[in-house]
mmCIF file with all atom_site columns, all heavy atoms in Angstrom:
data_model
loop_
_atom_site.group_PDB
_atom_site.id
_atom_site.type_symbol
_atom_site.label_atom_id
_atom_site.label_alt_id
_atom_site.label_comp_id
_atom_site.label_asym_id
_atom_site.label_entity_id
_atom_site.label_seq_id
_atom_site.pdbx_PDB_ins_code
_atom_site.Cartn_x
_atom_site.Cartn_y
_atom_site.Cartn_z
_atom_site.occupancy
_atom_site.B_iso_or_equiv
_atom_site.pdbx_formal_charge
_atom_site.auth_seq_id
_atom_site.auth_comp_id
_atom_site.auth_asym_id
_atom_site.auth_atom_id
_atom_site.pdbx_PDB_model_num
ATOM 1   N N   . PRO T 1 159 ? -29.100 -16.552 -55.899 1.00 98.00 ? 375 PRO T N   1
ATOM 2   C CA  . PRO T 1 159 ? -28.502 -17.328 -56.985 1.00 98.00 ? 375 PRO T CA  1
ATOM 3   C C   . PRO T 1 159 ? -27.002 -17.110 -57.093 1.00 98.00 ? 375 PRO T C   1
ATOM 4   O O   . PRO T 1 159 ? -26.478 -16.062 -56.715 1.00 98.00 ? 375 PRO T O   1
ATOM 5   C CB  . PRO T 1 159 ? -29.235 -16.825 -58.226 1.00 98.00 ? 375 PRO T CB  1
ATOM 6   C CG  . PRO T 1 159 ? -29.666 -15.444 -57.876 1.00 98.00 ? 375 PRO T CG  1
ATOM 7   C CD  . PRO T 1 159 ? -29.976 -15.476 -56.403 1.00 98.00 ? 375 PRO T CD  1
ATOM 8   N N   . THR T 1 160 ? -26.326 -18.117 -57.638 1.00 98.00 ? 376 THR T N   1
ATOM 9   C CA  . THR T 1 160 ? -24.877 -18.033 -57.810 1.00 98.00 ? 376 THR T CA  1
ATOM 10  C C   . THR T 1 160 ? -24.502 -16.886 -58.734 1.00 98.00 ? 376 THR T C   1
ATOM 11  O O   . THR T 1 160 ? -23.538 -16.149 -58.473 1.00 98.00 ? 376 THR T O   1
ATOM 12  C CB  . THR T 1 160 ? -24.342 -19.360 -58.363 1.00 98.00 ? 376 THR T CB  1
ATOM 13  O OG1 . THR T 1 160 ? -24.754 -20.420 -57.491 1.00 98.00 ? 376 THR T OG1 1
ATOM 14  C CG2 . THR T 1 160 ? -22.829 -19.351 -58.458 1.00 98.00 ? 376 THR T CG2 1
ATOM 15  N N   . GLU T 1 161 ? -25.250 -16.729 -59.820 1.00 97.00 ? 377 GLU T N   1
ATOM 16  C CA  . GLU T 1 161 ? -25.013 -15.645 -60.767 1.00 97.00 ? 377 GLU T CA  1
ATOM 17  C C   . GLU T 1 161 ? -26.059 -14.555 -60.570 1.00 97.00 ? 377 GLU T C   1
ATOM 18  O O   . GLU T 1 161 ? -27.230 -14.860 -60.344 1.00 97.00 ? 377 GLU T O   1
ATOM 19  C CB  . GLU T 1 161 ? -25.057 -16.156 -62.210 1.00 97.00 ? 377 GLU T CB  1
ATOM 20  C CG  . GLU T 1 161 ? -23.993 -17.197 -62.534 1.00 97.00 ? 377 GLU T CG  1
ATOM 21  C CD  . GLU T 1 161 ? -22.590 -16.646 -62.414 1.00 97.00 ? 377 GLU T CD  1
ATOM 22  O OE1 . GLU T 1 161 ? -22.403 -15.440 -62.706 1.00 97.00 ? 377 GLU T OE1 1
ATOM 23  O OE2 . GLU T 1 161 ? -21.684 -17.406 -62.031 1.00 97.00 ? 377 GLU T OE2 1
ATOM 24  N N   . PRO T 1 162 ? -25.666 -13.279 -60.645 1.00 97.00 ? 378 PRO T N   1
ATOM 25  C CA  . PRO T 1 162 ? -26.640 -12.199 -60.432 1.00 97.00 ? 378 PRO T CA  1
ATOM 26  C C   . PRO T 1 162 ? -27.738 -12.197 -61.486 1.00 97.00 ? 378 PRO T C   1
ATOM 27  O O   . PRO T 1 162 ? -27.507 -12.545 -62.646 1.00 97.00 ? 378 PRO T O   1
ATOM 28  C CB  . PRO T 1 162 ? -25.788 -10.925 -60.512 1.00 97.00 ? 378 PRO T CB  1
ATOM 29  C CG  . PRO T 1 162 ? -24.554 -11.321 -61.248 1.00 97.00 ? 378 PRO T CG  1
ATOM 30  C CD  . PRO T 1 162 ? -24.316 -12.755 -60.926 1.00 97.00 ? 378 PRO T CD  1
ATOM 31  N N   . LEU T 1 163 ? -28.929 -11.815 -61.059 1.00 97.00 ? 379 LEU T N   1
ATOM 32  C CA  . LEU T 1 163 ? -30.068 -11.663 -61.960 1.00 97.00 ? 379 LEU T CA  1
ATOM 33  C C   . LEU T 1 163 ? -30.255 -10.187 -62.300 1.00 97.00 ? 379 LEU T C   1
ATOM 34  O O   . LEU T 1 163 ? -29.858 -9.309  -61.530 1.00 97.00 ? 379 LEU T O   1
ATOM 35  C CB  . LEU T 1 163 ? -31.327 -12.226 -61.298 1.00 97.00 ? 379 LEU T CB  1
ATOM 36  C CG  . LEU T 1 163 ? -31.348 -13.752 -61.137 1.00 97.00 ? 379 LEU T CG  1
ATOM 37  C CD1 . LEU T 1 163 ? -32.467 -14.189 -60.197 1.00 97.00 ? 379 LEU T CD1 1
ATOM 38  C CD2 . LEU T 1 163 ? -31.501 -14.436 -62.492 1.00 97.00 ? 379 LEU T CD2 1
ATOM 39  N N   . PRO T 1 164 ? -30.878 -9.894  -63.436 1.00 97.00 ? 380 PRO T N   1
ATOM 40  C CA  . PRO T 1 164 ? -30.963 -8.502  -63.883 1.00 97.00 ? 380 PRO T CA  1
ATOM 41  C C   . PRO T 1 164 ? -31.647 -7.546  -62.918 1.00 97.00 ? 380 PRO T C   1
ATOM 42  O O   . PRO T 1 164 ? -31.393 -6.343  -62.950 1.00 97.00 ? 380 PRO T O   1
ATOM 43  C CB  . PRO T 1 164 ? -31.752 -8.614  -65.198 1.00 97.00 ? 380 PRO T CB  1
ATOM 44  C CG  . PRO T 1 164 ? -31.428 -9.980  -65.711 1.00 97.00 ? 380 PRO T CG  1
ATOM 45  C CD  . PRO T 1 164 ? -31.335 -10.844 -64.472 1.00 97.00 ? 380 PRO T CD  1
ATOM 46  N N   . TYR T 1 165 ? -32.516 -8.036  -62.037 1.00 97.00 ? 381 TYR T N   1
ATOM 47  C CA  . TYR T 1 165 ? -33.222 -7.134  -61.132 1.00 97.00 ? 381 TYR T CA  1
ATOM 48  C C   . TYR T 1 165 ? -32.352 -6.626  -59.991 1.00 97.00 ? 381 TYR T C   1
ATOM 49  O O   . TYR T 1 165 ? -32.693 -5.648  -59.335 1.00 97.00 ? 381 TYR T O   1
ATOM 50  C CB  . TYR T 1 165 ? -34.458 -7.824  -60.546 1.00 97.00 ? 381 TYR T CB  1
ATOM 51  C CG  . TYR T 1 165 ? -34.200 -8.695  -59.349 1.00 97.00 ? 381 TYR T CG  1
ATOM 52  C CD1 . TYR T 1 165 ? -34.375 -8.200  -58.053 1.00 97.00 ? 381 TYR T CD1 1
ATOM 53  C CD2 . TYR T 1 165 ? -33.775 -10.018 -59.481 1.00 97.00 ? 381 TYR T CD2 1
ATOM 54  C CE1 . TYR T 1 165 ? -34.133 -8.992  -56.936 1.00 97.00 ? 381 TYR T CE1 1
ATOM 55  C CE2 . TYR T 1 165 ? -33.534 -10.814 -58.386 1.00 97.00 ? 381 TYR T CE2 1
ATOM 56  C CZ  . TYR T 1 165 ? -33.714 -10.304 -57.115 1.00 97.00 ? 381 TYR T CZ  1
ATOM 57  O OH  . TYR T 1 165 ? -33.470 -11.090 -56.024 1.00 97.00 ? 381 TYR T OH  1
ATOM 58  N N   . GLU T 1 166 ? -31.228 -7.264  -59.726 1.00 96.00 ? 382 GLU T N   1
ATOM 59  C CA  . GLU T 1 166 ? -30.424 -6.926  -58.553 1.00 96.00 ? 382 GLU T CA  1
ATOM 60  C C   . GLU T 1 166 ? -29.800 -5.540  -58.704 1.00 96.00 ? 382 GLU T C   1
ATOM 61  O O   . GLU T 1 166 ? -29.109 -5.265  -59.686 1.00 96.00 ? 382 GLU T O   1
ATOM 62  C CB  . GLU T 1 166 ? -29.335 -7.971  -58.337 1.00 96.00 ? 382 GLU T CB  1
ATOM 63  C CG  . GLU T 1 166 ? -29.871 -9.353  -57.979 1.00 96.00 ? 382 GLU T CG  1
ATOM 64  C CD  . GLU T 1 166 ? -28.756 -10.360 -57.719 1.00 96.00 ? 382 GLU T CD  1
ATOM 65  O OE1 . GLU T 1 166 ? -27.647 -9.926  -57.331 1.00 96.00 ? 382 GLU T OE1 1
ATOM 66  O OE2 . GLU T 1 166 ? -29.000 -11.566 -57.891 1.00 96.00 ? 382 GLU T OE2 1
ATOM 67  N N   . LEU T 1 167 ? -30.015 -4.710  -57.707 1.00 93.00 ? 383 LEU T N   1
ATOM 68  C CA  . LEU T 1 167 ? -29.463 -3.354  -57.735 1.00 93.00 ? 383 LEU T CA  1
ATOM 69  C C   . LEU T 1 167 ? -28.007 -3.313  -57.291 1.00 93.00 ? 383 LEU T C   1
ATOM 70  O O   . LEU T 1 167 ? -27.295 -2.352  -57.590 1.00 93.00 ? 383 LEU T O   1
ATOM 71  C CB  . LEU T 1 167 ? -30.294 -2.435  -56.824 1.00 93.00 ? 383 LEU T CB  1
ATOM 72  C CG  . LEU T 1 167 ? -31.740 -2.188  -57.259 1.00 93.00 ? 383 LEU T CG  1
ATOM 73  C CD1 . LEU T 1 167 ? -32.437 -1.281  -56.245 1.00 93.00 ? 383 LEU T CD1 1
ATOM 74  C CD2 . LEU T 1 167 ? -31.799 -1.571  -58.650 1.00 93.00 ? 383 LEU T CD2 1
ATOM 75  N N   . HIS T 1 168 ? -27.578 -4.344  -56.571 1.00 90.00 ? 384 HIS T N   1
ATOM 76  C CA  . HIS T 1 168 ? -26.213 -4.347  -56.036 1.00 90.00 ? 384 HIS T CA  1
ATOM 77  C C   . HIS T 1 168 ? -25.539 -5.682  -56.339 1.00 90.00 ? 384 HIS T C   1
ATOM 78  O O   . HIS T 1 168 ? -24.870 -6.265  -55.489 1.00 90.00 ? 384 HIS T O   1
ATOM 79  C CB  . HIS T 1 168 ? -26.251 -4.090  -54.523 1.00 90.00 ? 384 HIS T CB  1
ATOM 80  C CG  . HIS T 1 168 ? -27.089 -2.903  -54.129 1.00 90.00 ? 384 HIS T CG  1
ATOM 81  N ND1 . HIS T 1 168 ? -26.700 -1.606  -54.383 1.00 90.00 ? 384 HIS T ND1 1
ATOM 82  C CD2 . HIS T 1 168 ? -28.308 -2.830  -53.534 1.00 90.00 ? 384 HIS T CD2 1
ATOM 83  C CE1 . HIS T 1 168 ? -27.635 -0.776  -53.934 1.00 90.00 ? 384 HIS T CE1 1
ATOM 84  N NE2 . HIS T 1 168 ? -28.621 -1.492  -53.423 1.00 90.00 ? 384 HIS T NE2 1
ATOM 85  N N   . GLY T 1 169 ? -25.691 -6.136  -57.569 1.00 91.00 ? 385 GLY T N   1
ATOM 86  C CA  . GLY T 1 169 ? -25.239 -7.470  -57.925 1.00 91.00 ? 385 GLY T CA  1
ATOM 87  C C   . GLY T 1 169 ? -23.799 -7.590  -58.362 1.00 91.00 ? 385 GLY T C   1
ATOM 88  O O   . GLY T 1 169 ? -23.358 -8.681  -58.724 1.00 91.00 ? 385 GLY T O   1
ATOM 89  N N   . THR T 1 170 ? -23.045 -6.498  -58.323 1.00 93.00 ? 386 THR T N   1
ATOM 90  C CA  . THR T 1 170 ? -21.666 -6.558  -58.825 1.00 93.00 ? 386 THR T CA  1
ATOM 91  C C   . THR T 1 170 ? -20.641 -6.896  -57.760 1.00 93.00 ? 386 THR T C   1
ATOM 92  O O   . THR T 1 170 ? -19.473 -7.100  -58.064 1.00 93.00 ? 386 THR T O   1
ATOM 93  C CB  . THR T 1 170 ? -21.275 -5.219  -59.479 1.00 93.00 ? 386 THR T CB  1
ATOM 94  O OG1 . THR T 1 170 ? -21.401 -4.170  -58.494 1.00 93.00 ? 386 THR T OG1 1
ATOM 95  C CG2 . THR T 1 170 ? -22.178 -4.908  -60.663 1.00 93.00 ? 386 THR T CG2 1
ATOM 96  N N   . GLY T 1 171 ? -21.056 -6.945  -56.506 1.00 95.00 ? 387 GLY T N   1
ATOM 97  C CA  . GLY T 1 171 ? -20.123 -7.217  -55.414 1.00 95.00 ? 387 GLY T CA  1
ATOM 98  C C   . GLY T 1 171 ? -19.900 -8.699  -55.192 1.00 95.00 ? 387 GLY T C   1
ATOM 99  O O   . GLY T 1 171 ? -20.366 -9.549  -55.966 1.00 95.00 ? 387 GLY T O   1
ATOM 100 N N   . PRO T 1 172 ? -19.182 -9.043  -54.127 1.00 97.00 ? 388 PRO T N   1
ATOM 101 C CA  . PRO T 1 172 ? -18.897 -10.442 -53.811 1.00 97.00 ? 388 PRO T CA  1
ATOM 102 C C   . PRO T 1 172 ? -20.168 -11.250 -53.595 1.00 97.00 ? 388 PRO T C   1
ATOM 103 O O   . PRO T 1 172 ? -21.180 -10.743 -53.118 1.00 97.00 ? 388 PRO T O   1
ATOM 104 C CB  . PRO T 1 172 ? -18.079 -10.342 -52.525 1.00 97.00 ? 388 PRO T CB  1
ATOM 105 C CG  . PRO T 1 172 ? -17.517 -8.957  -52.517 1.00 97.00 ? 388 PRO T CG  1
ATOM 106 C CD  . PRO T 1 172 ? -18.536 -8.105  -53.182 1.00 97.00 ? 388 PRO T CD  1
ATOM 107 N N   . ARG T 1 173 ? -20.082 -12.551 -53.924 1.00 98.00 ? 389 ARG T N   1
ATOM 108 C CA  . ARG T 1 173 ? -21.197 -13.481 -53.734 1.00 98.00 ? 389 ARG T CA  1
ATOM 109 C C   . ARG T 1 173 ? -20.674 -14.707 -52.972 1.00 98.00 ? 389 ARG T C   1
ATOM 110 O O   . ARG T 1 173 ? -20.500 -15.783 -53.533 1.00 98.00 ? 389 ARG T O   1
ATOM 111 C CB  . ARG T 1 173 ? -21.832 -13.872 -55.077 1.00 98.00 ? 389 ARG T CB  1
ATOM 112 C CG  . ARG T 1 173 ? -22.310 -12.681 -55.885 1.00 98.00 ? 389 ARG T CG  1
ATOM 113 C CD  . ARG T 1 173 ? -22.913 -13.083 -57.226 1.00 98.00 ? 389 ARG T CD  1
ATOM 114 N NE  . ARG T 1 173 ? -24.283 -13.512 -57.136 1.00 98.00 ? 389 ARG T NE  1
ATOM 115 C CZ  . ARG T 1 173 ? -25.349 -12.695 -57.109 1.00 98.00 ? 389 ARG T CZ  1
ATOM 116 N NH1 . ARG T 1 173 ? -25.177 -11.377 -57.150 1.00 98.00 ? 389 ARG T NH1 1
ATOM 117 N NH2 . ARG T 1 173 ? -26.574 -13.185 -57.041 1.00 98.00 ? 389 ARG T NH2 1
ATOM 118 N N   . PRO T 1 174 ? -20.394 -14.540 -51.683 1.00 98.00 ? 390 PRO T N   1
ATOM 119 C CA  . PRO T 1 174 ? -19.803 -15.630 -50.896 1.00 98.00 ? 390 PRO T CA  1
ATOM 120 C C   . PRO T 1 174 ? -20.824 -16.732 -50.633 1.00 98.00 ? 390 PRO T C   1
ATOM 121 O O   . PRO T 1 174 ? -22.033 -16.539 -50.815 1.00 98.00 ? 390 PRO T O   1
ATOM 122 C CB  . PRO T 1 174 ? -19.399 -14.931 -49.606 1.00 98.00 ? 390 PRO T CB  1
ATOM 123 C CG  . PRO T 1 174 ? -20.409 -13.835 -49.457 1.00 98.00 ? 390 PRO T CG  1
ATOM 124 C CD  . PRO T 1 174 ? -20.658 -13.348 -50.856 1.00 98.00 ? 390 PRO T CD  1
ATOM 125 N N   . PRO T 1 175 ? -20.382 -17.898 -50.176 1.00 98.00 ? 391 PRO T N   1
ATOM 126 C CA  . PRO T 1 175 ? -21.323 -18.968 -49.840 1.00 98.00 ? 391 PRO T CA  1
ATOM 127 C C   . PRO T 1 175 ? -22.395 -18.534 -48.842 1.00 98.00 ? 391 PRO T C   1
ATOM 128 O O   . PRO T 1 175 ? -23.546 -18.938 -48.949 1.00 98.00 ? 391 PRO T O   1
ATOM 129 C CB  . PRO T 1 175 ? -20.422 -20.064 -49.260 1.00 98.00 ? 391 PRO T CB  1
ATOM 130 C CG  . PRO T 1 175 ? -19.117 -19.865 -49.960 1.00 98.00 ? 391 PRO T CG  1
ATOM 131 C CD  . PRO T 1 175 ? -18.977 -18.375 -50.098 1.00 98.00 ? 391 PRO T CD  1
ATOM 132 N N   . VAL T 1 176 ? -22.006 -17.723 -47.875 1.00 98.00 ? 392 VAL T N   1
ATOM 133 C CA  . VAL T 1 176 ? -22.969 -17.188 -46.902 1.00 98.00 ? 392 VAL T CA  1
ATOM 134 C C   . VAL T 1 176 ? -22.748 -15.689 -46.776 1.00 98.00 ? 392 VAL T C   1
ATOM 135 O O   . VAL T 1 176 ? -21.637 -15.239 -46.509 1.00 98.00 ? 392 VAL T O   1
ATOM 136 C CB  . VAL T 1 176 ? -22.822 -17.860 -45.521 1.00 98.00 ? 392 VAL T CB  1
ATOM 137 C CG1 . VAL T 1 176 ? -23.809 -17.241 -44.529 1.00 98.00 ? 392 VAL T CG1 1
ATOM 138 C CG2 . VAL T 1 176 ? -23.043 -19.366 -45.616 1.00 98.00 ? 392 VAL T CG2 1
ATOM 139 N N   . CYS T 1 177 ? -23.807 -14.930 -46.993 1.00 98.00 ? 393 CYS T N   1
ATOM 140 C CA  . CYS T 1 177 ? -23.778 -13.476 -46.831 1.00 98.00 ? 393 CYS T CA  1
ATOM 141 C C   . CYS T 1 177 ? -24.613 -13.128 -45.595 1.00 98.00 ? 393 CYS T C   1
ATOM 142 O O   . CYS T 1 177 ? -25.744 -13.601 -45.449 1.00 98.00 ? 393 CYS T O   1
ATOM 143 C CB  . CYS T 1 177 ? -24.356 -12.793 -48.069 1.00 98.00 ? 393 CYS T CB  1
ATOM 144 S SG  . CYS T 1 177 ? -24.885 -11.079 -47.833 1.00 98.00 ? 393 CYS T SG  1
ATOM 145 N N   . LEU T 1 178 ? -24.050 -12.320 -44.723 1.00 98.00 ? 394 LEU T N   1
ATOM 146 C CA  . LEU T 1 178 ? -24.758 -11.860 -43.534 1.00 98.00 ? 394 LEU T CA  1
ATOM 147 C C   . LEU T 1 178 ? -25.203 -10.420 -43.743 1.00 98.00 ? 394 LEU T C   1
ATOM 148 O O   . LEU T 1 178 ? -24.379 -9.529  -43.922 1.00 98.00 ? 394 LEU T O   1
ATOM 149 C CB  . LEU T 1 178 ? -23.850 -11.959 -42.303 1.00 98.00 ? 394 LEU T CB  1
ATOM 150 C CG  . LEU T 1 178 ? -23.268 -13.339 -42.010 1.00 98.00 ? 394 LEU T CG  1
ATOM 151 C CD1 . LEU T 1 178 ? -22.330 -13.266 -40.814 1.00 98.00 ? 394 LEU T CD1 1
ATOM 152 C CD2 . LEU T 1 178 ? -24.368 -14.375 -41.779 1.00 98.00 ? 394 LEU T CD2 1
ATOM 153 N N   . GLY T 1 179 ? -26.507 -10.204 -43.726 1.00 98.00 ? 395 GLY T N   1
ATOM 154 C CA  . GLY T 1 179 ? -27.045 -8.859  -43.821 1.00 98.00 ? 395 GLY T CA  1
ATOM 155 C C   . GLY T 1 179 ? -27.167 -8.246  -42.436 1.00 98.00 ? 395 GLY T C   1
ATOM 156 O O   . GLY T 1 179 ? -27.689 -8.889  -41.508 1.00 98.00 ? 395 GLY T O   1
ATOM 157 N N   . THR T 1 180 ? -26.692 -7.027  -42.290 1.00 98.00 ? 396 THR T N   1
ATOM 158 C CA  . THR T 1 180 ? -26.634 -6.406  -40.966 1.00 98.00 ? 396 THR T CA  1
ATOM 159 C C   . THR T 1 180 ? -27.306 -5.040  -40.956 1.00 98.00 ? 396 THR T C   1
ATOM 160 O O   . THR T 1 180 ? -27.550 -4.443  -42.008 1.00 98.00 ? 396 THR T O   1
ATOM 161 C CB  . THR T 1 180 ? -25.172 -6.246  -40.509 1.00 98.00 ? 396 THR T CB  1
ATOM 162 O OG1 . THR T 1 180 ? -24.502 -5.313  -41.369 1.00 98.00 ? 396 THR T OG1 1
ATOM 163 C CG2 . THR T 1 180 ? -24.430 -7.572  -40.538 1.00 98.00 ? 396 THR T CG2 1
#
Side-chain angles (χ1 to χ4, degrees):
T376 305
E377 298 297 327
L379 291 167
Y381 83 96
E382 294 182 26
L383 294 179
H384 311 289
T386 59
R389 303 179 82 83
V392 178
C393 161
L394 304 177
T396 66

